[in-house]
Amino acid sequence: MKEPSFTLGIEEEYLLVDPETRDLAIDPPASILKECQRRLPDHQVTPEFLRSQIEIGTRVCTDISEARAALVELRSVVAGVAEEHGLGLMAASTHPFADWHLLKHTAKERYEIIAQDLQAVVRRLMICGMHVHCGIPDPEMRIDLMNQMSYFLPHLLSLSTSSPFWRGEVSGLKSYRLSVFDSLPRTGIPDRFDSYGEFERLVNVMVEAGSIEDGSKIWWDLRPSSKFPTLEMRMTDVCPLVEDTLCIAALYTCLLRMLYRLRRRNQRWRIYPRTLVSENRWLAQRFGVEGRLIDLGIPGQVPVAELMEEIIGLVEEDADALGCKKEVLHVRTILARGTSADRQLEAYNKSLQEGASVKQALHTVVDLVLKETVSGLN
């Protein structure tokens, strides 16, 4: 059995913000995107559904060090170009107070079709995510690992949460983004498949029935990419701190390698019912790293911090082999200081306690995320 390459690529979606009003830039100039593309020919910089968004994608990276260099370059250049146009770059999965009713979608054929098909559901898609591609050339292995990897998706989500606000209100969730995204069809934990052929048949049925144009319209939290020989993890919020992004990307890659090692020994991670994994998804969405997830082997709820320590032990060999031990151990830093959602809520509550208005407190949150997005890039 040939070991997969475990190459990786990272995609992030950002928000463009007016630094004076702290609101989203409703109609940013097209020259931002063109200039970013000119300065970053080896990477992907593309529009997103809303004009207030911009998406980046690293080139294919052989290891986490290369991914770090690529991501730092991308964030630095895009933030710099945005600043040259009088705007700030915000890596968070929701804006604290922006109103989706005021936003405009990008004039692109794909987005025009999506807008027509999904109507108000997609018009409110004022959210950003972080995706990680891991190179697994063998399609049958890709499907087998997808079936097993689904179990760990809520754990990754808990580390990434950055969307506690929605339209000026504390949502009560650490990742409100998923509540918005789940209003779209074909989202959530993926189905289980016995083979890659079975997955292809499902896609073909939907295409032939006229429901979708291709497999890229299946928006599960984890899916075989329709463009690349990769398994694409789409569960997580986008992280303001680049070190958190790299930690999650490294941990995802290590978990896949750990599952591959089991497969090589004719073993596998137990595949649990989708409903149980989805329950953990909800718990991670609601409480983040401060909460508990169900240890389905017990079964019973266990603090996220304890489960993460178990995962660190599971992938120790893989982190060494892939040269990303430092990034994996950064999990402990996230657990100790909380995720972006925790820091946003802390800044908001502190501002209120100091006498700020709700509007001023929300501005404080925006300023925090803008600062963190570009921190550690030099």
Side-chain angles (χ1 to χ4, degrees):
M1 185 183 299
K2 184 178 181 180
E3 181 168 340
S5 59
F6 295 113
T7 54
L8 70 156
I10 299 172
E11 299 172 351
E12 291 187 319
E13 297 159 351
Y14 305 132
L15 298 168
L16 293 168
V17 175
D18 183 327
E20 293 187 11
T21 66
R22 274 77 161 196
D23 205 345
L24 290 182
I26 295 176
D27 193 12
S31 55
I32 293 180
L33 184 65
K34 292 179 181 177
E35 182 60 19
C36 288
Q37 291 171 338
R38 186 187 72 80
R39 297 189 194 181
L40 295 161
D42 295 332
H43 304 286
Q44 291 184 359
V45 185
T46 57
E48 249 301 324
F49 180 75
L50 295 175
R51 295 188 198 177
S52 303
Q53 296 172 295
I54 192 165
E55 181 178 4
I56 61 91
T58 70
R59 60 181 175 272
V60 178
C61 301
T62 57
D63 57 29
I64 200 68
S65 295
E66 191 175 335
R68 175 188 297 279
L71 190 59
V72 167
E73 181 185 14
L74 277 158
R75 279 207 191 189
S76 299
V77 171
V78 176
V81 172
E83 185 177 11
E84 291 169 10
H85 288 76
L87 299 175
L89 193 71
M90 185 174 177
S93 281
T94 58
H95 185 279
F97 62 85
D99 187 345
W100 61 267
H101 293 91
L102 305 176
L103 302 180
K104 303 174 182 179
H105 74 261
T106 301
K108 186 178 177 181
E109 183 180 4
R110 173 180 171 84
Y111 296 135
E112 297 290 353
I113 293 172
I114 290 175
Q116 180 63 34
D117 287 349
L118 301 178
Q119 297 291 313
V121 169
V122 76
R123 290 198 296 272
R124 65 192 287 266
L125 208 65
M126 190 175 60
I127 57 174
C128 295
M130 185 262 281
H131 307 163
V132 182
H133 289 260
C134 185
I136 303 173
D138 181 353
E140 296 300 335
M141 187 181 297
R142 214 177 302 152
I143 285 294
D144 186 30
L145 296 186
M146 182 180 81
N147 290 336
Q148 299 175 68
M149 182 65 208
S150 293
Y151 175 87
F152 296 101
L153 293 175
H155 304 73
L156 297 177
L157 173 63
S158 69
L159 293 172
S160 74
T161 56
S162 69
S163 49
F165 295 94
W166 183 249
R167 297 183 66 195
E169 295 184 358
V170 177
S171 69
L173 280 65
K174 297 296 177 68
S175 176
Y176 191 79
R177 161 186 153 264
L178 282 185
S179 297
V180 179
F181 195 70
D182 285 348
S183 62
L184 271 65
R186 304 177 294 279
T187 58
I189 300 298
D191 293 333
R192 179 185 180 279
F193 298 93
D194 289 330
S195 67
Y196 188 77
E198 184 181 5
F199 167 73
E200 283 190 311
R201 286 191 291 275
L202 177 130
V203 173
N204 290 338
V205 165
M206 300 189 77
V207 170
E208 291 170 8
S211 294
I212 58 176
E213 291 81 31
D214 54 58
S216 69
K217 295 292 182 67
I218 293 177
W219 295 306
W220 293 329
D221 299 329
L222 183 68
R223 69 180 183 184
S225 171
S226 61
K227 296 180 180 179
F228 311 110
T230 63
L231 189 58
E232 180 187 5
M233 190 277 294
R234 304 165 46 83
M235 167 69 93
T236 46
D237 279 7
V238 62
C239 302
L241 296 175
V242 71
E243 290 298 331
D244 292 3
T245 298
L246 293 167
C247 169
I248 292 165
L251 187 58
Y252 170 61
T253 309
C254 286
L255 283 165
L256 287 174
R257 189 178 185 277
M258 180 272 294
L259 296 173
Y260 161 76
R261 286 193 291 111
L262 290 180
R263 176 185 167 101
R264 194 172 58 194
R265 299 197 300 263
N266 291 320
Q267 298 174 322
R268 63 188 297 108
W269 197 263
R270 182 175 174 183
I271 298 175
Y272 292 92
R274 184 180 180 186
T275 298
L276 293 177
V277 179
S278 295
E279 184 66 19
N280 266 347
R281 183 184 190 263
W282 160 250
L283 292 171
Q285 179 185 357
R286 172 71 174 84
F287 298 107
V289 294
E290 293 185 338
R292 295 168 172 259
L293 297 179
I294 303 171
D295 184 334
L296 296 175
I298 298 179
Q301 290 195 19
V302 177
V304 169
E306 290 185 22
L307 294 172
M308 289 300 173
E309 284 297 330
E310 291 181 9
I311 288 175
I312 289 172
L314 278 174
V315 302
E316 183 177 8
E317 174 183 334
D318 310 285
D320 285 335
L322 297 175
C324 58
K325 187 172 183 179
K326 172 188 171 184
E327 286 77 13
V328 168
L329 292 180
H330 183 75
V331 166
R332 292 173 178 158
T333 300
I334 297 176
L335 294 171
R337 59 149 163 74
T339 65
S340 173
D342 299 315
R343 295 191 301 280
Q344 289 180 46
L345 291 167
E346 182 182 4
Y348 176 78
N349 291 324
K350 182 180 178 182
S351 292
L352 292 179
Q353 291 167 5
E354 292 175 350
S357 66
V358 169
K359 181 179 180 180
Q360 290 169 330
L362 290 169
H363 284 191
T364 300
V365 174
V366 173
D367 290 343
L368 170 68
V369 180
L370 288 172
K371 181 180 179 181
E372 289 191 350
T373 300
V374 296
S375 66
L377 299 183
N378 298 324

